[in-house]
Amino acid sequence: MDDPRPILLLLYLVAGHALVDFALQSEAMALGKCPHAQHPAARAVPWYYWLAAHALLHGTAVGLVCQWMGLTPAGTLALALAETLAHALIDLGKCRGWYGIHRDQALHLLCKLLWWCLALGAFPSSGGL
């Protein structure tokens, strides 16, 4: 493999997801981001604030990885915004009981694969994102 950046990009996108969805997500956020949550934090802060903050952190992680890996600012912004929206919608579906954690995580990882595929044209300077 002459250019390891494409594989590194995928690794960092998945690792960023693991970091934000597990290591950095507090109990208050994990429970408070769902409508009708009974967690004390959810009574103090509306659920949609928790969900928006959580999704924005995921979008930021994707954006930081993309920027760090040398994607264009426009491509970085597009993928960060796409991740923010997709993550919020996926988590909302899980909160509403449409599916469990396994499907939730599979959908999140499919998004990372999609972002990676969209960004692949950027390596090595082929005019992609």
Side-chain angles (χ1 to χ4, degrees):
M1 174 182 291
D2 292 341
D3 187 358
R5 292 180 298 164
I7 297 301
L8 287 173
L9 175 61
L10 181 59
L11 173 68
Y12 296 151
L13 287 171
V14 172
H17 172 77
L19 179 68
V20 178
D21 225 29
F22 294 98
L24 298 180
Q25 186 173 196
S26 68
E27 177 184 346
M29 184 173 281
L31 299 174
K33 68 185 177 186
C34 294
H36 312 296
Q38 297 303 311
H39 191 277
R43 290 192 287 273
V45 177
W47 68 269
Y48 44 88
Y49 284 16
W50 288 110
L51 182 61
H54 178 66
L56 185 59
L57 289 173
H58 275 278
T60 299
V62 166
L64 288 171
V65 165
C66 290
Q67 183 178 10
W68 183 36
M69 294 300 296
L71 274 65
T72 66
T76 295
L77 178 61
L79 293 180
L81 291 174
E83 172 63 20
T84 301
L85 179 61
H87 202 94
L89 293 173
I90 291 167
D91 276 12
L92 186 59
K94 184 182 72 171
C95 287
R96 290 188 172 161
W98 296 344
Y99 40 81
I101 190 167
H102 301 301
R103 185 162 295 155
D104 167 78
Q105 290 302 306
L107 290 169
H108 290 315
L109 292 176
L110 283 173
C111 286
K112 301 310 177 291
L113 281 173
L114 177 59
W115 313 152
W116 181 64
C117 289
L118 291 171
L120 277 183
F123 302 112
S125 45
S126 60
L129 295 177

